[in-house]
Amino acid sequence: MNSYRIGILGGDGIGPEVVAEGLKAVEASGVEIEQVPYDLGAGRWLRDGTVLPDSVLEEWRSLDALYVGAVGTPEVTPGLLERGLLLRMRFELDLFVNLRPFHAPERSIDIQVVRENTEGPYVGEGGILRKGTPHEVATQGSVNTRMGVERCVRFAFDLAARRERNHVTLVHKTNIMPFSGDLWQRAFDEVAVEYPQSETAYNHVDAACIYFVNSPERYDVIVTDNLFGDILTDLGGAVAGGIGKAASANLNPARTGPSMFEPVHGSAPDIAGRGIADPTAAILSAAMMLEFLGEPDAAGSIASACYAVGDRVSGTVAIGDAIAESIAG
């Protein structure tokens, strides 16, 4: 049996609580992992100002995956950890696909959202002039490269080709964003020619938000840019059972470094330590990690257990225990 070295970042708030339940599920699945813990997040920054040392980033390159709970607290300036830790992880490790699945059989929801993860507005292009004056000007650009867009689109078509419906929808705002939108549309259309069996569609992002609420069953695989994907997938979590069940994978499909797996939700410091956080998203993220590592049977058993337990149990540890028991059979 293979054994994997996994970097563990419990982080802040409910992060350590839900990660513990995810690791419990992995153990129940029978997959052997070596946990390599890292003390990073708001707590660490408040203690000594550390965000992400270069030495730690180099250590990560030798790991098989990274498993993250959540980072951030109200005491830390917004954006400091997001940009200095999470976004730096994505950029430095080339985690160019953010994959977020939404599964709710009772509503016929089975969607995979492929979000471009290293470009768009999140690159940080822009600036402020005459700050604090009546004539202040702020600009924020969206950086899109042909390589970045095309490899994300190609990943989406490859994913759809392995699914029964084999349908890919591009979501953007081409009528208002004629430069980045044009690049995305042309790349999408040109890659689609290589996948003649795949059906395709296009939706403006505002229309996609309506469809997510009114008719989510129309979607199979969605591919979209960084910002639109961030917003759309939070909505997806809400319509598919709540953000506490929304998992995600930050993938380096070329496998030149470790991929990172985390729940979509934040650190929720208001409920930390109360034992009421739903760990399902973190557990499903662990299942995605095992799937990517080449353990599909274990991943499937964890996902099936999550859906079997559903909302029948409450409490962080109780949910984790019920899922682990279901996995063990």
Side-chain angles (χ1 to χ4, degrees):
M1 178 178 291
N2 293 324
S3 179
Y4 305 95
R5 297 183 70 238
I6 309 298
I8 309 296
L9 289 78
D12 307 302
I14 63 171
E17 301 173 46
V18 297
V19 160
E21 302 310 312
L23 294 173
K24 184 189 297 180
V26 171
E27 181 180 4
S29 77
V31 174
E32 294 184 4
I33 66 170
E34 175 190 347
Q35 299 180 33
V36 185
Y38 289 93
D39 178 18
L40 296 171
R44 176 69 182 275
W45 185 82
L46 289 169
R47 287 199 309 276
D48 61 18
T50 298
V51 179
L52 175 55
D54 292 342
S55 59
V56 170
L57 189 61
E58 284 306 308
E59 286 180 27
W60 286 351
R61 298 185 190 279
S62 66
L63 299 177
D64 294 300
L66 295 163
Y67 184 45
V68 178
V71 297
T73 64
E75 295 83 9
V76 178
T77 303
L80 189 149
L81 293 174
E82 291 85 349
R83 185 159 293 281
L85 177 57
L86 297 177
L87 289 186
R88 189 179 178 206
M89 291 168 70
R90 295 175 185 178
F91 297 150
E92 296 280 353
L93 299 175
D94 202 21
L95 308 179
F96 66 84
V97 166
N98 184 255
L99 180 63
R100 298 187 176 184
F102 301 100
H103 186 68
E106 70 281 0
R107 291 200 61 195
S108 299
I109 297 175
D110 185 12
I111 306 170
Q112 298 271 344
V113 178
V114 177
R115 167 191 171 193
E116 200 290 317
N117 211 31
T118 58
E119 297 188 347
Y122 290 50
V123 170
E125 190 274 337
I128 297 178
L129 299 174
R130 298 188 289 274
K131 187 174 183 178
T133 76
H135 303 287
E136 183 171 340
V137 178
T139 62
Q140 190 77 59
S142 178
V143 177
N144 300 263
T145 69
R146 174 63 191 228
M147 182 195 76
V149 171
E150 183 174 328
R151 66 182 182 174
C152 190
V153 168
R154 193 173 299 280
F155 180 93
F157 275 95
D158 285 339
L159 175 62
R162 301 193 299 270
R163 290 165 59 85
E164 183 177 355
R165 284 187 59 191
N166 195 5
H167 187 285
V168 187
T169 303
L170 171 63
V171 171
H172 209 278
K173 192 68 176 170
T174 55
N175 58 337
I176 300 298
M177 304 174 71
F179 306 123
S180 62
D182 178 63
L183 173 55
W184 273 88
Q185 186 70 71
R186 283 186 291 108
F188 183 84
D189 292 343
E190 290 168 23
V191 171
V193 173
E194 302 175 29
Y195 296 82
Q197 303 304 315
S198 299
E199 295 184 26
T200 64
Y202 170 82
N203 289 154
H204 291 323
V205 65
D206 44 347
C209 289
I210 296 172
Y211 297 146
F212 255 50
V213 175
N214 292 342
S215 54
E217 67 279 357
R218 71 171 56 211
Y219 292 119
D220 179 24
V221 174
I222 290 173
V223 63
T224 188
D225 87 337
N226 210 335
L227 178 60
F228 295 148
D230 195 1
I231 296 168
L232 196 61
T233 52
D234 276 6
L235 178 58
V239 301
I243 204 72
K245 301 187 186 304
S248 77
N250 298 268
L251 301 178
N252 176 337
R255 300 178 190 267
T256 57
S259 293
M260 185 266 277
F261 303 82
E262 61 177 341
V264 172
H265 63 67
S267 62
D270 56 320
I271 61 170
R274 295 170 57 188
I276 61 174
D278 187 345
T280 304
I283 296 172
L284 287 170
S285 298
M288 296 181 75
M289 177 176 69
L290 296 188
E291 176 78 28
F292 192 73
L293 290 174
E295 301 287 349
D297 292 341
S301 69
I302 293 175
S304 296
C306 288
Y307 300 132
V309 170
D311 295 321
R312 295 188 293 103
V313 182
S314 61
T316 308
V317 174
I319 293 172
D321 286 344
I323 289 172
E325 289 170 8
S326 180
I327 295 167

